[in-house]
Amino acid sequence: MENRSLMAYDSNNIFAKILRGEAPCIKLYEDDLTLAFMDIMPQADGHVLVISKEAAETLLDLSEDGARACVVTTRRIAIAVKKALAAEGIFIAQMNGAAAGQTVPHIHFHVIPRTAGAVVRMHGVERADDAGLNAFAAKIRAALADA
Ligand code: 5GP
C-alpha cells in the first residue's frame, strides 16, 4: 500500500484490518486497487462501502490513480446497487476528516440506494443482522455479474 502522508495514517483502523484479512467483511468486489463490501450499519438497505487499498486516510491523501480507481469502482457498484435494489436514486457520500463526519480514518465512498420519501437511517448507528446483509449482498453480486 502506498501512503502519500499528508496525514498520519493509523494502520489499526477497521478498514486496514479488513484489507489485511484480520477482520471480516461481506465482500462484493475486489480489484488491484479497490475493495467493496457491505456497510454493517447501513443507512438504507443495500448500503455499500468502496475503499482504496492504499494506506490513505482521506481523498486528499490518495494518489490520483487511487482516486480514479475508487470512482470507477464506486460507479460500477452504484449501477449494480440501483439494479439489485430497484432504487430510484443513488446517494454517494465521501467524508474527509472527523470535522466533516468521517468516523473510520481510511478513505472510503458510501453508495446508498434512495427511494423518494424513505427515511435514511442515522450514520453508523444500528448494526444490521448478517443474514439480511448477506441477502442484499447476493442480489448486488448477481447484478455485478450481469453487468
Ligand atoms: P464514515 O463515518 O467514516 O464516513 O463511515 C464509516 C462507515 O463505516 C459507517 O457507515 C459505518 O457504519 C461503517 N463501519 C464501521 N465499522 C465497520 C465495520 O467493522 N465493518 C463494516 N463493514 N462497516 C463498518
Side-chain angles (χ1 to χ4, degrees):
M1 292 199 293
E2 174 194 351
N3 187 347
R4 297 171 70 78
S5 296
L6 289 179
M7 299 178 78
Y9 180 78
D10 169 17
S11 59
N12 284 320
N13 77 74
I14 184 63
F15 294 169
K17 289 180 180 171
I18 287 173
L19 281 172
R20 292 196 297 268
E22 296 168 7
C25 74
I26 299 174
K27 191 194 292 188
L28 299 167
Y29 172 84
E30 180 173 20
D31 59 29
D32 288 349
L33 299 178
T34 65
L35 173 69
F37 53 88
M38 302 303 290
D39 193 307
I40 59 170
M41 291 171 273
Q43 291 185 253
D45 292 342
H47 181 166
V48 177
L49 297 171
V50 175
I51 74 174
S52 172
K53 291 188 174 179
E54 281 181 35
E57 180 167 339
T58 75
L59 185 61
L60 288 63
D61 305 302
L62 196 58
S63 69
E64 291 192 349
D65 281 347
R68 268 189 284 274
C70 277
V71 169
V72 169
T73 298
T74 297
R75 176 178 179 274
R76 185 175 296 182
I77 292 292
I79 291 168
V81 167
K82 187 171 194 302
K83 183 175 178 188
L85 279 290
E88 291 175 8
I90 299 289
F91 177 65
I92 292 172
Q94 195 278 312
M95 285 79 130
N96 298 284
Q102 183 177 8
T103 59
V104 177
H106 182 102
I107 170 72
H108 55 278
F109 289 72
H110 297 262
V111 178
I112 304 175
R114 295 294 312 272
T115 301
V119 175
V120 174
R121 295 190 282 270
M122 293 281 287
H123 183 72
V125 172
E126 196 179 330
R127 175 70 162 91
D129 67 86
D130 283 343
L133 290 173
N134 277 309
F136 289 118
K139 288 186 183 183
I140 297 166
R141 284 190 204 104
L144 279 168
D146 267 0

